[in-house]
Amino acid sequence: MSENGKKDDRETGWFERPQNVNRIWYALLAVAALLLIAELFYEHHPHFGIDGLPGFYAVFGFVSFIIIVFAGKFLRTIIMRDEDYYERD
């Protein structure tokens, strides 16, 4: 939308269309499912007892990601400055 409230004549981008976002989401889910199925046929030798479970590295990566996100939110409260921090005298 433009400033006067009328629709722009510009074409929307590929990533801005909801059906394409859904396609990407479903493609990522399909690739993740295929990789999980492929892991069942891959013989790997665990270094520890728990890493021999199917899907261990996927779960471990997801849990690590969640921990990093929450750690970032916590650190933001500690190190965040006011909006005009550098403009003050």
Side-chain angles (χ1 to χ4, degrees):
M1 290 251 176
S2 62
E3 293 177 10
N4 58 7
K6 294 182 181 177
K7 186 175 180 181
D8 289 335
D9 292 333
R10 293 181 288 155
E11 184 178 325
T12 58
W14 194 82
F15 288 108
E16 295 173 353
R17 296 182 200 137
Q19 69 269 18
N20 292 337
V21 173
N22 289 336
R23 287 178 186 158
I24 293 171
W25 180 248
Y26 291 133
L28 287 173
L29 289 176
V31 168
L34 288 173
L35 288 172
L36 187 60
I37 291 169
E39 185 181 2
L40 296 174
F41 299 105
Y42 175 72
E43 181 182 348
H44 57 280
H45 305 285
H47 299 285
F48 308 102
I50 194 169
D51 64 341
L53 297 173
F56 169 76
Y57 290 106
V59 171
F60 181 76
F62 183 73
V63 170
S64 299
F65 166 74
I66 296 296
I67 290 172
I68 289 171
V69 167
F70 283 122
K73 285 184 172 242
F74 173 71
L75 286 174
R76 181 179 178 202
T77 61
I78 295 173
I79 62 175
M80 194 166 107
R81 302 283 184 227
D82 292 332
E83 194 172 318
D84 60 346
Y85 179 76
Y86 291 105
E87 296 172 4
R88 286 187 263 163
D89 290 330

